[in-house]
Amino acid sequence: MQKMKVLGSSRLFGEVQASGAKNAVLPILAATLLTSEAVVLHNVPQLTDVLLMQKLLISLGVTVKQTGSHSLFIQAKSLNTTSILSDDAQLMRGSVLTLGPLTARFGLAKLVLPGGCSIGARPIDQHIKALNALGANVEIDENHVQAKANRLLGTHIKTDMVTVTGTANIIMAAVLAEGLTVIENAACEPEIVDLVNLLKLMGANIRGEGTSCIEIIGVNALHGTEYTVMADRIEAGSFLCAAVATQGDVLVSGIQPTILANVTRKLHKMGCSIDFGNDWVRAKIQKRPLAVNIITEPHPGFPTDMQSQFMVLNAIAEGASCITETIFENRFMHVPELVKMGAQISVNGQNAHIQGVPNLYGAEVKATDLRASAALIIAALAAKGDSIINNIAYLDRGYESMETKLNQLGAKILRI
Ligand code: EPU
């Protein structure tokens, strides 16, 4: 596996462009299965998860053409199969996003179950419950989930917890169902709004996106369109954290500040100066940040995908703090790695107690998941001395050219 060497005591300055959002483009790619017409997508980030999703679509018989560095032409005119049984599907949880669209348009879908993953068990019971409620017959064996249906029928669905891909799957199933579907306890994430924006351009009838109650009136067919994927708020937030950790000054362009408010509010509380315009956000600080308590929550609460990056800030902050992770049961795997770098953190169940220290120190550490890999890079940039980060392939699943972008801001990162 690839590693990264990160030189410490860096300070980051300058401007960096946000890429397209991983968690928006994955459901959007799945949504292209809902029409026989062409969908042209722009601002598609170059990520291994995106390549994997394209591979899954191609395996179904979908035409996928790269028409520019960040643009794709996709047409699911007719499929060879509605089964996704390859190992690739198991590698990426996003593969479950094909379940709703395949069942809605073709009345048949069979998927290899996405396994548990390092940050938690991540079951798909809510996806299945909703498809059953929409009239599909869903069967599960040890390794597969299979859904069969005639036309799905609109219904009232209340999910037991807020689930992002669950909400995306239900929406994509309901857009072609007969009649009205109401989703209560729906995810309000901006990536859901982005998916709905695309679906509306394809002819879907949806309202309430961005709130916890979404209403969908099914239509007989959707048509093709052209769409630009939203910017990645987690990538942007990670750059802002890198600026704060290194007492720098970084402007992230191409991102709406409102979708980052839950992150910039915390940075402001940490003593960071935040400026923003229509499509940019800038974070600047010239001292150690102040410790802040954080509880991860569904949007508009503080995002779990920013938890590890903020743990680094708290680790070098003035004061003590507590970070409570409420979304995933195993998302503190970065803690022992940060401790190797001199952080003072102890974990008790879903709480991590952090005593800020003036400096972290370079060390050899390993990335344990996608966001942890970004957090370790941020920690290594701020640390005294150089670090080696192992298992860095995680990073490429969700950050496009992360080290190139950071090096443009003054970091010294080498992939080995
Ligand atoms: N859950 C269930 N049953 C379900 C669905 C979810 O118990 O049927 C539980 C999960 O186990 C978890 C909680 O509900 O404890 C929330 O999970 P959710 O379904 O919202 O997560 P997800 O949709 O699988 C997406 C992002 C994650 C992000 C979470 C939370 C994508 C492709 N993934 O996952 O992104 O952390 O929402 O915001 O959109 C990342 O980018 O690093 C990442 C992990």
Side-chain angles (χ1 to χ4, degrees):
M1 261 211 175
Q2 291 191 346
K3 322 172 179 194
M4 254 180 197
K5 180 171 181 180
V6 181
L7 270 55
S9 304
S10 294
R11 292 189 73 184
L12 302 191
F13 291 94
E15 183 175 334
V16 64
Q17 171 84 25
S19 293
K22 169 182 84 83
N23 290 345
V25 78
L26 293 177
I28 282 174
L29 286 168
T32 63
L33 288 166
L34 286 164
T35 175
S36 61
E37 294 183 11
V39 177
V40 174
L41 298 176
H42 304 293
N43 205 29
V44 177
Q46 294 179 345
L47 304 171
T48 46
D49 271 14
V50 171
L51 287 175
L52 217 49
M53 194 66 162
Q54 288 179 53
K55 222 171 138 186
L56 296 185
L57 292 179
I58 292 167
S59 76
L60 292 169
V62 177
T63 304
V64 181
K65 286 186 211 153
Q66 188 91 37
T67 51
S69 63
H70 294 86
S71 296
L72 292 176
F73 168 100
I74 305 177
Q75 187 164 18
K77 202 170 192 169
S78 57
L79 299 190
N80 305 327
T81 172
T82 55
S83 299
I84 299 183
L85 304 175
S86 70
D87 293 345
D88 288 339
Q90 233 170 351
L91 290 176
M92 187 184 57
R93 297 199 49 82
S95 59
V96 76
L97 286 159
T98 56
L99 192 61
L102 286 175
T103 312
R105 180 164 159 222
F106 300 97
L108 187 63
K110 186 169 183 183
L111 298 186
V112 66
L113 281 171
C117 88
S118 51
I119 60 174
R122 302 177 82 183
I124 57 165
D125 54 305
Q126 300 302 306
H127 305 237
I128 292 167
K129 189 174 122 177
L131 276 177
N132 272 324
L134 285 159
N137 178 9
V138 188
E139 282 174 12
I140 300 204
D141 66 28
E142 238 173 76
N143 288 319
H144 303 100
V145 52
Q146 175 161 300
K148 281 188 194 162
N150 294 319
R151 190 170 181 194
L152 296 174
L153 290 176
T155 187
H156 193 117
I157 295 163
K158 184 171 180 189
T159 55
D160 298 337
M161 77 285 294
V162 177
T163 157
V164 181
T165 47
T167 301
N169 237 340
I170 302 170
I171 293 172
M172 289 190 283
V175 284
L176 291 181
E178 192 180 326
L180 172 71
T181 299
V182 178
I183 312 172
E184 256 190 86
N185 207 20
C188 306
E189 267 66 4
E191 292 75 15
I192 294 290
V193 177
D194 210 41
L195 169 68
V196 170
N197 288 341
L198 166 86
L199 292 170
K200 283 182 174 175
L201 288 176
M202 292 168 75
N205 189 345
I206 306 172
R207 63 177 194 196
E209 68 277 12
T211 76
S212 59
C213 184
I214 300 179
E215 290 179 4
I216 302 147
I217 298 173
V219 294
N220 289 332
L222 295 178
H223 52 75
T225 190
E226 188 162 351
Y227 191 70
T228 299
V229 177
M230 68 179 277
D232 197 314
R233 62 194 169 102
I234 306 301
E235 184 207 27
S238 303
F239 285 127
L240 297 181
C241 284
V244 176
T246 62
Q247 299 186 16
D249 179 355
V250 169
L251 184 152
V252 185
S253 58
I255 183 108
Q256 264 187 309
T258 44
I259 60 169
L260 266 173
N262 42 16
V263 165
T264 48
R265 223 178 284 130
K266 285 288 177 195
L267 290 177
H268 183 68
K269 256 192 152 173
M270 292 181 128
C272 181
S273 122
I274 301 287
D275 286 325
F276 52 85
N278 279 345
D279 65 346
W280 57 267
V281 183
R282 177 179 173 187
K284 181 178 166 186
I285 192 166
Q286 286 173 328
K287 55 181 173 31
R288 281 172 70 193
L290 305 173
V292 294
N293 293 332
I294 286 171
I295 302 178
T296 63
E297 286 171 327
H299 195 78
F302 187 89
T304 173
D305 292 345
M306 288 301 304
Q307 179 255 106
S308 55
Q309 302 88 318
F310 269 76
M311 189 175 288
V312 173
L313 300 187
N314 273 334
I316 54 172
E318 277 187 49
S321 58
C322 176
I323 295 187
T324 307
E325 171 59 55
T326 72
I327 308 290
F328 292 113
E329 62 275 22
N330 194 25
R331 217 176 194 184
F332 282 145
M333 288 177 298
H334 42 279
V335 169
E337 306 306 309
L338 291 175
V339 168
K340 278 185 206 159
M341 300 178 78
Q344 288 186 15
I345 308 172
S346 62
V347 173
N348 185 0
Q350 59 178 171
N351 297 311
H353 300 281
I354 304 146
Q355 176 61 54
V357 293
N359 288 299
L360 296 178
Y361 295 92
E364 178 154 0
V365 290
K366 64 169 189 299
T368 47
D369 68 61
L370 164 60
R371 305 303 168 189
S373 60
L376 290 174
I377 292 175
I378 295 168
L381 288 169
K384 284 195 173 191
D386 304 341
S387 297
I388 299 285
I389 305 176
N390 292 296
N391 286 2
I392 206 67
Y394 279 118
L395 188 75
D396 302 323
R397 295 188 67 160
Y399 290 91
E400 177 175 326
S401 312
M402 177 78 149
E403 72 264 36
T404 311
K405 288 183 173 187
L406 287 171
N407 286 344
Q408 280 163 5
L409 296 172
K412 292 187 187 66
I413 304 176
L414 204 74
R415 200 178 274 247
I416 307 168

